[in-house]
Amino acid sequence: MASQEKSTCPINLALEVFGDRWSLLIVRDMMFAGKRHFREFLQSDEGISTNILTERLGKLVEQGVLRKSDDPTHRQKALYSLTPMGIDLLPVVAQIGIWGRKHTPVTKDSAADAAALEKGGPALWKKLQAELRRAHAEGRAA
């Protein structure tokens, strides 16, 4: 597949993979809320529509951020897992949350996770990444 990006800037290329709101919220929900099924993503507070969710999950799978497999607990469900590439996004998502906590009108409750990520810093992020690797290995149910 030939690249269609006009810029080879690393920031631009990264944003081509995960740079839209919904993709980052899906990754966030997988990392911090343990969501793995289509219906679970639909229940997020942001209210993603089914057609956008379908498109974004497909794009994230195509780009290698997620893996889709059959759910061993239910034949009619798909199970989404973070790939190593997706797990590598944890520090990026953490930094976005930390920035949002500092610069947007969040509530104490909504900012609690970002505060914990900031306080724990890179050591906590590495621990969380190791937990995600175990939980998402081979696409098994959490």
Side-chain angles (χ1 to χ4, degrees):
M1 178 170 148
S3 175
Q4 303 217 353
E5 296 86 13
K6 294 180 181 179
S7 168
T8 58
C9 165
I11 294 170
N12 174 66
L13 294 173
L15 291 175
E16 291 288 330
V17 174
F18 63 81
D20 65 89
R21 171 187 186 203
W22 295 114
S23 294
L24 282 173
L25 292 174
I26 290 166
V27 170
R28 175 209 63 189
D29 284 351
M30 293 185 81
M31 289 179 172
F32 302 114
K35 294 182 181 185
R36 306 282 297 272
H37 295 98
F38 190 89
R39 291 225 175 265
E40 292 173 325
F41 296 117
L42 287 175
Q43 296 168 356
S44 295
D45 290 341
E46 292 81 14
I48 190 169
S49 67
T50 56
N51 61 324
I52 291 175
L53 178 57
T54 299
E55 191 272 328
R56 294 310 191 281
L57 286 169
K59 178 182 173 191
L60 290 167
V61 168
E62 180 182 311
Q63 294 290 332
V65 175
L66 304 181
R67 175 178 49 252
K68 180 182 178 181
S69 59
D70 294 332
D71 186 333
T73 65
H74 194 286
R75 287 189 293 181
Q76 294 179 336
K77 287 186 179 181
L79 181 70
Y80 291 92
S81 302
L82 290 162
T83 64
M85 180 193 304
I87 292 168
D88 283 347
L89 282 171
L90 190 136
V92 174
V93 176
Q95 286 290 2
I96 291 170
I98 291 165
W99 183 91
R101 180 176 162 262
K102 288 181 182 178
H103 300 290
T104 63
V106 297
T107 65
K108 185 175 182 178
D109 286 343
S110 69
D113 287 341
L117 289 167
E118 183 173 23
K119 182 177 180 184
L124 175 61
W125 307 346
K126 286 190 183 300
K127 179 182 174 200
L128 292 172
Q129 285 176 304
E131 291 172 7
L132 288 169
R133 282 186 199 94
R134 282 189 296 278
H136 290 258
E138 302 302 318
R140 55 188 172 146

